[in-house]
Amino acid sequence: MDASVEKCNVGGVLMDQPFKIRRLGHFGLNFLQMDDNLHFYLDLLGFMITDVRDPFADKEVPEAYKDFGDCRGYFMRYASDHHALAFYNHRYRFATDTRGRCTDGVTINQLTWQVGSLAEVMNGDTWLRERQNNMVRVGRDMPGSNWHSYFMDPDMHQNEIYYGIEQIGWNGHSKPLTMHDRQFHEVPDLPQVSEYQEIQDALARGVDIQSGYRYTHDLPATYDVQGTLLPRPFRIVKIGPIGLFVTNMTASLDFYCGMLGFLITEEVDYQGQRCVFLRNNTEHHSLVLYPIELREALGLSDHTTTAGFGLQVANYTQLKDARAFLAENGVRVTEMPLELTPGLDYSFLAFDADGHAMQFYCAMEQLGWDAKPRPAGQRRKITPGVWPETLDAQSDSYMGEPFLGPWG
């Protein structure tokens, strides 16, 4: 950003934007093979449905959509956030798109970034509009309850900044439909009432707040995962980073750095192509931009501009076990070239039914106060395809945001 540009007050700190992205909140994909992908993400990976949005809940499916398969939208979590993943039917979304958001080559329906307050979302929406960004909508959606502003990047990947997503508690119930009354499709007046007050008002109306959706499954918990019995030998504890294939690196960097405030951690030249690793917190990267020219060279699907979606498991033992478990269950498993995994140490790719690459890892390099990554010569030496039984500790082993709550 130009140093002469007026700074923005973000909670008493002067910054280049009127918001500060803290982390990746959730991510969305559109699918062609919904049933197979539900099996992949629910049964094999362990995500849990929190809500289902059915566009035809109270009416017959129109003839034009009857051969599309399952047209419902699914919201899924791995922790207490209402959703970490949002899944939709690609053909239905494409057919009903009225805002020009859906294209054949983009299967991402959202990249969603958490900021620190409701004011940051609304101030950010105004600021982004003033700078002629491709804005979509602002307000508050249900289910999930988060306040948001949606806008498009240069390659028509829909981004969102948000605040205040619904939290799922110990009993696993989401908010009942009768509490979806405070949905907004416009800029709300500030201040708004708190979440606590919304619940008090619902109780006063006689709402059964325990009547929301609760996911159940009948998978046997046969794996002893460091002392807890689970249906699979690993536990996802964090989502991200996201990898994107982009058509114009300069335009994408202008958007993600200049508009959204991401910082460049590291750059890699791979086969003559510039790949850029970006962060918004202390992790080495939360977003990677790859030139789309590398997609074929990396053997990734031309169906999508998703270069990878990160799924962190709790430790190295679980990472090895996840790799074996997924391969045993018929999932295609490969490895990304080591040159393209700085900051991730050991990792592998597992592909869903539509060919989206999930990047499994167990440790992300953390940056300190000086904002410098670990020098390449001081990183762990890895031999492709070789997975030792144990690893020596490093200075940032088990550092970063911890997972809160039980594994199962």
Side-chain angles (χ1 to χ4, degrees), residues 44 321-333 348 350:
L44 298 185
D321 291 345
R323 183 170 175 268
F325 172 84
L326 293 171
E328 290 166 2
N329 280 275
V331 175
R332 183 163 71 96
V333 173
F348 67 87

Side-chain angles (χ1 to χ4, degrees), residues 104-332:
D104 280 331
V106 176
T107 60
I108 294 170
N109 66 58
Q110 58 188 287
L111 298 82
T112 303
W113 311 102
Q114 181 180 335
V115 299
S117 68
L118 177 52
E120 285 182 46
V121 174
M122 298 308 152
N123 293 339
D125 181 79
T126 299
W127 188 86
L128 291 166
R129 288 179 189 276
E130 289 172 348
R131 282 149 185 80
Q132 305 302 309
N133 281 277
N134 184 358
M135 310 300 291
V136 177
R137 58 194 175 94
V138 62
R140 190 192 198 194
D141 273 352
M142 302 290 178
S145 304
N146 44 297
W147 304 85
H148 59 240
S149 173
Y150 284 96
F151 41 88
M152 312 302 286
D153 80 359
D155 289 285
M156 296 300 287
H157 300 121
Q158 182 169 246
N159 280 256
E160 174 191 5
I161 54 173
Y162 82 96
Y163 156 81
I165 196 166
E166 175 186 332
Q167 297 295 295
I168 306 298
W170 64 269
N171 63 4
H173 287 277
S174 62
K175 286 182 180 178
L177 291 175
T178 47
M179 287 187 66
H180 289 187
D181 56 321
R182 279 182 42 78
Q183 183 163 279
F184 287 73
H185 299 292
E186 66 284 323
V187 176
D189 294 329
L190 298 186
Q192 288 287 318
V193 299
S194 67
E195 182 88 356
Y196 172 82
Q197 188 59 53
E198 289 185 354
I199 295 172
Q200 292 301 105
D201 292 345
L203 289 169
R205 297 197 308 269
V207 172
D208 179 4
I209 60 174
Q210 305 291 338
S211 61
Y213 189 99
R214 182 176 185 272
Y215 176 70
T216 61
H217 65 79
D218 57 3
L219 300 172
T222 58
Y223 291 93
D224 178 354
V225 186
Q226 284 90 57
T228 301
L229 289 173
L230 298 176
R232 56 200 63 81
F234 61 91
R235 182 60 159 87
I236 291 170
V237 297
K238 188 177 181 181
I239 60 169
I242 295 172
L244 295 179
F245 287 117
V246 300
T247 57
N248 184 321
M249 184 63 72
T250 299
S252 292
L253 288 172
D254 286 345
F255 175 82
Y256 285 104
C257 295
M259 290 297 164
L260 299 193
F262 283 82
L263 302 171
I264 296 176
T265 302
E266 192 164 346
E267 298 190 24
V268 171
D269 183 293
Y270 184 78
Q271 296 186 2
Q273 299 286 345
R274 181 190 184 194
C275 307
V276 185
F277 295 76
L278 307 174
R279 71 182 188 279
N280 54 46
N281 206 303
T282 59
E283 73 279 3
H284 179 277
H285 60 280
S286 48
L287 181 67
V288 191
L289 303 179
Y290 301 101
I292 201 163
E293 291 80 3
L294 281 180
R295 185 167 59 183
E296 182 178 2
L298 293 173
L300 298 179
S301 173
D302 62 4
H303 166 65
T304 179
T305 51
T306 308
F309 180 59
L311 298 173
Q312 183 176 356
V313 297
N315 52 53
Y316 176 68
T317 295
Q318 290 189 24
L319 183 65
K320 290 193 304 172
D321 291 345
R323 183 170 175 268
F325 172 84
L326 293 171
E328 290 166 2
N329 280 275
V331 175
R332 183 163 71 96

Side-chain angles (χ1 to χ4, degrees), residues 24 27 47 84-85 239-243 306-311 357-360:
L24 173 69
F27 182 64
F47 284 90
L85 296 175
I239 60 169
I242 295 172
T306 308
F309 180 59
L311 298 173
M358 300 295 111
Q359 187 170 26
F360 280 77

